[in-house]
Amino acid sequence: MSEKHLVIVGAGLVGTLNAILLAKRNLTVSVYEKRRDLRREPPPSGRRTTNLALTSRGMAALKQVGVAEQIAPYQVAMFARMVHEVDGTMHPLYYGRKEQFILSTQRNKLNEILLNAAEKFPNLTCFFEHKLTSCNLKTGQLEFLHKGKKVRVQADVVFGNDGAHSTIRLEMMKCSLMDVQQIYVPYGYIELPVAKTKNNDFALEPQHLHLWPRDDFLMLCTANWDRTFNIALFMRFETFSSLKTEDDAVEFFKKHFPDALALVGEKNLRSSFPTWCPYPMVTIKCSPYHIEGKALIMGDAAHAMLPFLAQGVNSGFEDCMLLNSLLDIHKDNFAAAFSEYSRCRKADAHAVCDLTLYNFLEMRQLVNTKTFRLKKKLDNILHAILPNNWIPLYSMVAFTDIRYHICKQRKQYQDQILNCILVLGAALLFFLLITTVIWVYVSWDRHW
């Protein structure tokens, strides 16, 4: 076993997966988490529970650490977005081919499974209720606060898997030339539960991500393995603020989401209204991600993004897989592996952040337009004709391991081609219309 002591700050999904992969390398790993152990007691009220969607990138990582079968009973396959119009009509938009799907996965259950898998390694230890208060990344000295007492830890290598508001990233900014861009979008979200029916069944078709696009706001609904649903309502903060009373909230739902009101229930909507406190959403881009062979940030700590492309956790898991392969190549030389990680991950991390911003626009607004739906049909037709040369954006992201920055580049030139086809098609129709009008006029003139 290596004498190096690796410390991971953060025992969320990315932190625990990273810990497992490092422990499998026969390295001594300690994981410190500021929250309580969610396996011992339920998360505190108010903690976010939104499901995550695992795609092929995330599932590849779970298969590598041997937990894919364990999480399977807690997943629901989703084959398409089901768009709900205000008048109650619905139509599906498939993610890819009709047999392709992503997996709605309960976040806390996956975290439990990964923690259990991590603690099976004798060289891996998890410490909960340890809040990082200070650290020196050059020397590896860290200080945590545990139940009012200071705990000092000496690390050879530190991993920041501590989320969008990363303390490790903040410390890296102080002692390195790190570029950081942080953008809060003017939208927040709340969560609303949907119970099972009286017959103990799903209240909606479970194999779809249900979507209520309303141009400037959006509502999503995903199924849970226990036949309940989670609803997330995304709106501008000022729109949330304009709803002053329970009656305002009910009238808002009656106007914009009448079919969803029946799912949530007016009584439940009224009772939940006093607790509405929209969560903010932030996009973070930074580089480099490391300090020599001493520290590395991954996951949301390195590239927080909006949730609308379902790549937050998937890209974080891909971070872990990339690091693992680089440690193989460089034979556990952390300095060399970290340097190459920062060099090759930046373009992909920045690209996927950009793609999530685009997908937010698509989901709340573009899906309502006839032009988008026509482009989507053309996109799918070209994919069917040229499956290896033409791949729609979501299929590239969800069902392949094509690097994110290449996905973005291909989307841009495929969009240009689609726009040209639409313009040429419109021009051709216009030409045919004018030709027909002229022919009818000439025929009519000759007749008379």
Side-chain angles (χ1 to χ4, degrees), residues 5 31 51 53-54 91 95 101 108 120 124 152 159 179 253 272 284 298 302-303 313 321 335 354 396 412 420 437 440:
H5 180 210
V31 182
N51 282 5
L54 287 178
H91 57 88
Y95 287 122
F101 56 87
N108 288 345
K120 290 179 180 178
L124 192 161
R152 292 182 175 85
F159 292 90
D179 291 324
F253 264 71
S272 70
I284 294 174
M298 304 158 70
H303 46 74
V313 171
M321 297 284 281
D354 292 338
M396 281 191 283
Q412 289 170 340
C420 286
V437 169
V440 170

Side-chain angles (χ1 to χ4, degrees), residues 222-261:
T222 55
N224 296 313
W225 64 276
D226 61 359
R227 301 188 180 185
T228 61
F229 281 87
N230 283 347
I231 281 181
L233 173 60
F234 301 85
M235 297 195 300
R236 291 183 181 272
F237 287 104
E238 55 263 35
T239 307
F240 278 113
S241 299
S242 69
L243 304 177
K244 305 293 186 183
T245 66
E246 297 172 11
D247 290 338
D248 291 342
V250 171
E251 288 304 313
F252 182 84
F253 264 71
K254 285 181 178 179
K255 180 179 179 180
H256 299 288
F257 311 112
D259 56 340
L261 181 59

Side-chain angles (χ1 to χ4, degrees), residues 124-136:
L124 192 161
T125 309
C126 294
F127 300 89
F128 296 92
E129 299 181 73
H130 281 70
K131 182 179 180 180
L132 181 65
T133 55
S134 67
C135 63
N136 185 324

Side-chain angles (χ1 to χ4, degrees), residues 9 132 135 137 158 160 162 166-172 297:
V9 180
L132 181 65
C135 63
L137 298 177
V158 177
D162 48 342
S166 170
T167 303
I168 299 298
R169 185 181 68 243
L170 182 61
E171 292 300 320
M172 290 177 70
I297 55 173

Side-chain angles (χ1 to χ4, degrees), residues 76-341:
V76 179
M78 298 187 296
F79 294 84
R81 301 168 181 165
M82 182 62 76
V83 179
H84 293 244
E85 307 289 357
V86 177
D87 62 6
T89 58
M90 298 182 290
H91 57 88
L93 292 173
Y94 286 92
Y95 287 122
R97 298 188 302 273
K98 290 192 176 183
E99 71 274 12
Q100 291 179 314
F101 56 87
I102 61 177
L103 292 160
S104 175
T105 307
Q106 197 165 50
R107 182 182 299 271
N108 288 345
K109 185 60 68 173
L110 178 56
N111 210 162
E112 289 178 19
I113 289 171
L114 285 171
L115 284 169
N116 289 335
E119 291 191 337
K120 290 179 180 178
F121 290 88
N123 53 319
L124 192 161
T125 309
C126 294
F127 300 89
F128 296 92
E129 299 181 73
H130 281 70
K131 182 179 180 180
L132 181 65
T133 55
S134 67
C135 63
N136 185 324
L137 298 177
K138 294 285 188 179
T139 63
Q141 295 174 338
L142 300 94
E143 187 175 280
F144 297 89
L145 187 64
H146 174 61
K147 297 182 178 180
K149 296 181 180 180
K150 293 181 179 179
V151 178
R152 292 182 175 85
V153 177
Q154 182 65 46
D156 295 296
V157 185
V158 177
F159 292 90
N161 297 150
D162 48 342
H165 304 288
S166 170
T167 303
I168 299 298
R169 185 181 68 243
L170 182 61
E171 292 300 320
M172 290 177 70
M173 290 168 61
K174 296 176 183 178
C175 61
S176 69
L177 299 176
M178 173 183 274
D179 291 324
V180 179
Q181 180 188 56
Q182 175 178 287
I183 300 175
Y184 278 94
V185 294
Y187 291 81
Y189 71 96
I190 61 167
E191 295 181 336
L192 298 167
V194 176
K196 291 178 282 190
T197 66
K198 292 180 179 179
N199 297 326
N200 199 37
D201 204 354
F202 288 104
L204 284 169
E205 164 56 51
Q207 295 189 322
H208 293 88
L209 182 147
H210 293 269
L211 173 65
W212 288 261
R214 299 296 184 261
D215 291 339
D216 202 35
F217 44 90
L218 164 72
M219 194 161 68
L220 303 176
C221 184
T222 55
N224 296 313
W225 64 276
D226 61 359
R227 301 188 180 185
T228 61
F229 281 87
N230 283 347
I231 281 181
L233 173 60
F234 301 85
M235 297 195 300
R236 291 183 181 272
F237 287 104
E238 55 263 35
T239 307
F240 278 113
S241 299
S242 69
L243 304 177
K244 305 293 186 183
T245 66
E246 297 172 11
D247 290 338
D248 291 342
V250 171
E251 288 304 313
F252 182 84
F253 264 71
K254 285 181 178 179
K255 180 179 179 180
H256 299 288
F257 311 112
D259 56 340
L261 181 59
L263 293 170
V264 177
E266 184 174 330
K267 182 179 178 181
N268 291 335
L269 186 64
R270 288 182 180 276
S271 64
S272 70
F273 179 76
T275 67
W276 285 17
C277 183
Y279 296 109
M281 295 185 290
V282 65
T283 294
I284 294 174
K285 299 178 184 177
C286 64
S287 70
Y289 304 117
H290 75 291
I291 293 179
E292 302 169 352
K294 298 287 188 179
L296 179 72
I297 55 173
M298 304 158 70
D300 282 352
H303 46 74
M305 64 195 71
L306 303 188
F308 302 105
L309 196 59
Q311 288 304 298
V313 171
N314 289 287
S315 62
F317 283 2
E318 193 174 65
D319 290 348
C320 299
M321 297 284 281
L322 173 60
L323 175 63
N324 193 54
S325 65
L326 291 175
L327 287 172
D328 283 340
I329 292 169
H330 295 287
K331 302 186 186 305
D332 289 344
N333 182 326
F334 285 91
F338 287 2
S339 179
E340 187 170 351
Y341 178 94

Side-chain angles (χ1 to χ4, degrees), residues 382-443:
L382 289 170
H383 180 47
I385 297 171
L386 304 165
N388 296 322
N389 302 100
W390 186 285
I391 308 175
L393 172 63
Y394 200 90
S395 294
M396 281 191 283
V397 170
F399 307 125
T400 77
D401 59 0
I402 296 173
R403 292 182 63 179
Y404 289 122
H405 80 277
I406 296 176
C407 293
K408 181 182 175 182
Q409 291 171 358
R410 292 182 66 168
K411 173 199 177 301
Q412 289 170 340
Y413 76 70
Q414 286 181 178
D415 278 351
Q416 291 174 353
I417 294 171
L418 289 174
N419 290 334
C420 286
I421 292 173
L422 289 177
V423 169
L424 290 173
L428 179 60
L429 287 174
F430 181 75
F431 174 78
L432 291 174
L433 176 63
I434 294 299
T435 302
T436 302
V437 169
I438 293 173
W439 181 80
V440 170
Y441 177 78
V442 171
S443 298

